[in-house]
Amino acid sequence: MNDIDRQANEEQFLESYDPSKFEHPSVTVDVALVSVSENKLRVLLLKRQEHPSKDRWALPGGFVRSNESLDQAAARVLEEKTGLRNFFLEQLYTFGEPKRDPRTRVITVAYYALVDHDKLKSDLATLVVPWEGETGGPVTIIDDRKEELPLAFDHGEILGMVVKRLRGKLNYAPIGFQLLPARFTLRNLQDIHETVLGRSMNKDSFRRRMLASGQLLPTGEREIQVGHRPAELYRFITGSAV
Amino acid sequence: MNDIDRQANEEQFLESYDPSKFEHPSVTVDVALVSVSENKLRVLLLKRQEHPSKDRWALPGGFVRSNESLDQAAARVLEEKTGLRNFFLEQLYTFGEPKRDPRTRVITVAYYALVDHDKLKSDLATLVVPWEGETGGPVTIIDDRKEELPLAFDHGEILGMVVKRLRGKLNYAPIGFQLLPARFTLRNLQDIHETVLGRSMNKDSFRRRMLASGQLLPTGEREIQVGHRPAELYRFITGSAV
DNA sequence: ATAATAGTGTCTCTTAGACAGTATTTG
DNA sequence: CAAATACTGTCTAAGAGACACTATTAT
C-alpha cells in the first residue's frame, strides 16, 4: 500500500511542478440540443466549414475555459449558438478516444439539452434535423428530405447515447415537460413520450400514471379552437427533483 | 448560422495551430472500486501522503496518457493499484469544477468498477472501508471502527454518485453478479441486492424475478456444509447486454 | 347533427408481496 | 430428531392495457 501510494503521489507531485511531463489534452464540451416537433425528435447541428470533417454536421461545441465549470461551459456554448438562456441541461458522457479528432488529443464532455421547439429562433429551425434509429449505438441523422446527413467526428455515437439516455430517463424522471411550453395538455405530453420512446402508448394508463405522479397541476384553463372537445391545460409542478 | 458557424470553426482552427491560446487542463481518471463483504458496501481508498489533501483518503487515480482511451486509462490505473485484471468497469461522470484541485485545473473522469470482494488481495483489504448514507449527494465513509474518514478533493461527491448509479442500475441491469464469484446461490444474489439498495426484499418475488429474467443458469451443483438444506448454485449467462 | 377528441368507469391480465406448507441438509 | 434454510403453491393487492360509454367543442 505505501509503495503504491507513494508512487501515485509522486506522479501528482511532479505533475504539479512540471506540466510538460504529461501531455495536456484539449477539453471541449459538445451539446446536443434536443427538441420535438411534428412528432419527430430533432437535434441542432451546425455544418462545419473547415477541416477536419469539413461539410459534415457537428454538435455545437467549444473549449472549456479555465475559469468556468463544465456545466457553465456547456450552457455558455449553447447560449452563444442559439441565444437560449433557459433550458434543461445534463451531462451525458465523456468521449476521449485518442484519435477521435485527427489534429490533436481532444477530450469532449458531451451534454444534452431539452427545449420547447417553438422557443428556437426560426433561423435556427432550418438547422434542426430529425433522426431515426434505435438506442445505444451510433445514430443516423436525416434531413426533412429524408436524406442522410454525414456527421462530424464521433457525433453519431454521441447522439446514439443521447437517445438511449432520454428513453431511459423518461421512464422514471419527469423530463417530458422540458420539451413543451409552460401549459400543455395530457395529449401533448403523451405525444412527447411516444416520440421520444418511439412507440405508441395506452391513453388511459398514461393519463392515470401522469395524474397519479403528483407532478401535474391543472390550471382550470382549456385549449381553444381545436375542432373537438378541448382538453384541460396543465403545468408541471416545479421544484421537484429532476 | 453562417456567422456563428464560421466563428466556431475559427476557434477550432486557431486552437489547432496555437495551443497556447487556450489553457489546457490536466485530465485524470479516478476509479471507485466497489465490492460487498459482510453485508456492507465497500470501496477502495488510498491515504494521500502529500499535499494537497494530505492524510485524506482518495480514490485511486492517475493522468490520462496521450495514447490511451479513457476506459483504458481507468483500467490501467486500477490494475496498477490492485493487480486486478478482470472487472466490470463503467464511466460514471466527469467532474470539472475549476477549484476542485487547488494546484491547477484538473478535470477528472470518474469510473466505478465492481469486483467479487474475495478477489481483492488481503493487503488491499485493509484499505477497503464501508460506507453509509443516502443516494445522490456527497457520502460519508466510515472505517471498521465506525470512525468517519476525511475524503480528498470532491471524492465524497463522486462516491455519492456511485451509490446512486449502482442503485439505479441494479433495478434494470444484471450487474449484481459482478460482485459475486462465478457460482452463487439466489440467496447470495439477494444479499448483494439488499446491501446495494439498502433495504430488505421479498424472497419469493426476488426468486421469481431472477429466474424469470433468463439471465441465470442452474449448474446442478449445490452448496455444501451449510447446516441446512443446500441451495442450488447458479451462473450468470454471459454475453447478454449489461 | 356530425366528427373528433377529452375524460370516466370497469373488467382483465400481469406482477409483486404475503404466507402456508413441503423438502433437504447438518449436527 | 431439531434447526435452519431451500423451494413450491396459492391467495391478495396494485398497476397497466382494453374497451365501452359519456362529455364537449368546431363546423
Side-chain angles (χ1 to χ4, degrees):
Chain A
M1 155 196 177
N2 281 337
D3 283 351
I4 287 172
D5 207 16
R6 255 195 297 278
Q7 177 191 329
N9 280 280
E10 187 173 339
E11 270 185 43
Q12 291 176 15
F13 177 86
L14 289 174
E15 155 66 17
S16 65
Y17 290 94
D18 181 11
S20 68
K21 182 164 186 270
F22 292 92
E23 184 181 324
H24 288 226
S26 296
V27 177
T28 61
V29 288
D30 286 317
V31 186
L33 178 63
V34 174
S35 57
V36 169
S37 77
E38 296 169 346
N39 289 328
K40 295 270 198 308
L41 206 48
R42 292 166 191 271
V43 62
L44 176 65
L45 292 171
L46 306 174
K47 192 170 186 175
R48 285 181 57 83
Q49 308 291 335
E50 303 289 341
H51 288 289
S53 285
K54 186 173 188 301
D55 294 332
R56 289 175 169 265
W57 295 82
L59 297 171
F63 292 95
V64 176
R65 297 179 181 165
S66 60
N67 60 342
E68 67 185 358
S69 69
L70 301 174
D71 287 4
Q72 287 165 349
R76 172 181 57 76
V77 163
L78 202 51
E79 184 183 347
E80 285 172 3
K81 314 266 172 170
T82 67
L84 289 173
R85 279 180 166 278
N86 289 311
F87 38 77
F88 172 87
L89 181 69
E90 185 175 85
Q91 187 183 307
L92 176 70
Y93 196 81
T94 298
F95 295 80
E97 288 297 315
K99 292 294 178 196
R100 58 178 295 281
D101 187 314
R103 289 166 298 187
T104 178
R105 183 75 188 267
V106 179
I107 291 170
T108 195
V109 185
Y111 279 76
Y112 72 101
L114 306 180
V115 71
D116 170 18
H117 188 75
D118 292 338
K119 289 220 183 76
L120 291 176
K121 286 189 233 163
S122 57
D123 65 327
L124 281 171
T126 60
L127 300 170
V128 176
V129 295
W131 76 42
E132 289 181 347
E134 296 303 312
T135 81
V139 144
T140 298
I141 301 286
I142 58 171
D143 64 14
D144 286 315
R145 297 185 309 275
K146 304 228 179 196
E147 286 179 28
E148 183 173 333
L149 298 182
L151 294 178
F153 308 112
D154 51 5
H155 291 191
E157 192 183 346
I158 295 176
L159 287 169
M161 213 174 270
V162 169
V163 181
K164 186 179 178 183
R165 172 75 64 93
L166 261 181
R167 289 182 174 167
K169 190 137 185 164
L170 203 57
N171 287 322
Y172 68 91
I175 57 170
F177 76 100
Q178 304 283 2
L179 294 161
L180 287 169
R183 296 180 308 166
F184 53 87
T185 68
L186 290 172
R187 164 55 57 185
N188 297 150
L189 187 60
Q190 185 172 347
D191 284 342
I192 292 290
H193 279 243
E194 291 184 344
T195 298
V196 172
L197 296 175
R199 61 186 176 85
S200 60
M201 311 190 71
N202 181 277
K203 181 184 73 163
D204 313 72
S205 70
F206 183 83
R207 290 178 59 87
R208 267 181 306 205
R209 264 196 300 136
M210 291 301 127
L211 293 174
S213 75
Q215 303 279 348
L216 293 178
L217 189 68
T219 64
E221 300 169 75
R222 292 166 175 272
E223 308 180 275
I224 51 169
Q225 308 230 332
V226 284
H228 53 78
R229 174 173 172 179
E232 175 144 22
L233 294 169
Y234 289 83
R235 291 180 181 279
F236 253 89
I237 294 171
T238 55
S240 46
V242 172
Chain B
M1 155 198 174
N2 281 337
D3 283 350
I4 287 173
D5 206 15
R6 255 194 298 276
Q7 177 191 328
N9 280 280
E10 188 173 338
E11 271 186 41
Q12 292 176 16
F13 177 87
L14 289 174
E15 155 67 18
S16 65
Y17 289 94
D18 180 11
S20 69
K21 180 165 188 271
F22 291 92
E23 184 182 324
H24 287 227
S26 297
V27 178
T28 61
V29 288
D30 286 317
V31 186
L33 178 63
V34 175
S35 57
V36 169
S37 78
E38 296 168 346
N39 289 328
K40 295 271 197 308
L41 207 48
R42 293 166 189 270
V43 63
L44 175 65
L45 293 171
L46 307 174
K47 192 169 186 176
R48 285 181 58 83
Q49 308 291 333
E50 303 289 341
H51 288 288
S53 286
K54 185 172 189 298
D55 294 332
R56 289 174 170 265
W57 295 82
L59 298 171
F63 292 94
V64 176
R65 295 178 181 166
S66 60
N67 60 342
E68 67 186 358
S69 70
L70 301 174
D71 287 3
Q72 286 166 349
R76 171 182 57 77
V77 162
L78 202 52
E79 184 182 346
E80 285 172 3
K81 316 265 173 168
T82 67
L84 289 173
R85 279 181 166 277
N86 289 312
F87 39 78
F88 172 87
L89 182 70
E90 184 175 86
Q91 188 184 307
L92 177 70
Y93 196 81
T94 298
F95 295 80
E97 287 298 314
K99 292 295 178 193
R100 59 177 294 280
D101 186 314
R103 291 167 297 188
T104 179
R105 183 76 189 268
V106 179
I107 291 171
T108 195
V109 184
Y111 280 76
Y112 72 101
L114 306 180
V115 70
D116 171 17
H117 189 75
D118 292 338
K119 288 219 183 77
L120 291 176
K121 287 189 231 161
S122 56
D123 65 328
L124 283 171
T126 61
L127 300 170
V128 175
V129 296
W131 77 43
E132 290 181 345
E134 296 303 312
T135 80
V139 143
T140 298
I141 301 286
I142 58 171
D143 64 15
D144 285 316
R145 298 184 308 274
K146 306 227 177 195
E147 285 179 27
E148 184 173 334
L149 298 182
L151 294 178
F153 307 111
D154 51 4
H155 291 190
E157 191 183 347
I158 295 176
L159 287 170
M161 213 174 270
V162 169
V163 181
K164 186 179 178 184
R165 172 76 64 94
L166 261 181
R167 289 182 174 166
K169 192 139 184 164
L170 203 57
N171 287 321
Y172 68 91
I175 59 170
F177 76 98
Q178 304 283 2
L179 294 161
L180 287 169
R183 296 179 309 166
F184 53 87
T185 67
L186 289 173
R187 163 57 56 188
N188 297 150
L189 188 59
Q190 185 172 348
D191 284 342
I192 293 289
H193 279 241
E194 292 183 344
T195 298
V196 172
L197 297 176
R199 61 186 175 86
S200 59
M201 311 190 71
N202 182 278
K203 183 182 72 164
D204 311 74
S205 69
F206 183 83
R207 289 179 59 86
R208 268 181 305 203
R209 263 196 301 137
M210 290 302 126
L211 293 174
S213 75
Q215 303 278 350
L216 292 178
L217 189 68
T219 64
E221 301 170 75
R222 291 166 174 274
E223 308 179 276
I224 51 170
Q225 308 230 334
V226 284
H228 54 78
R229 174 174 173 180
E232 174 144 26
L233 294 169
Y234 289 83
R235 289 180 183 280
F236 252 93
I237 295 171
T238 55
S240 46
V242 171

